[in-house]
Amino acid sequence: QVQLVESGGGLVQAGASLRLSCAASGRTFSSYVMAWFRQAPGKEREVVAVITRSFGSTYYADSVKGRFTISKDDAKNTVYLQMNSLKPEDTAVYYCAAKKGLAIAVTMQHLKAAAYDYWGQGTQVTVSS
């Protein structure tokens, strides 16, 4: 089992920055894919950013490209999501997810929530206008 714990959410004004952290514990795998998803009230869960642990390949949703950065610290088993220039439409619960298996590049499969094996409890991000 792998446990994922998110932190770093909060209430900020538009234009501000936040950094989310996702700490993995338990049976951590040397090769897996990590992702951040978000879910706003009344909307489906959507992928925000993905990173492959082995090769560091990344993917960003168009809505966050240029503003968000996903990164990893393998020594700490932690993945980060740096969010800059936040907008009210970024308001959502942000979830960290992990998928077992080696991946060189991010594929379409990695953009789907159903593909992931482990999930964190979520952290609320609220951006006021």
Side-chain angles (χ1 to χ4, degrees), residues 25-48:
S25 61
R27 183 187 174 191
T28 53
F29 299 93
S30 60
S31 300
Y32 52 92
V33 176
M34 298 294 295
W36 287 96
F37 286 77
R38 67 186 181 187
Q39 188 166 18
K43 295 188 177 181
E44 293 188 354
R45 192 168 296 190
E46 62 176 1
V47 67
V48 175

Side-chain angles (χ1 to χ4, degrees), residues 70 94 104 106-107 110:
I70 189 170
Y94 283 70
I104 297 174
V106 178
T107 68
H110 299 132

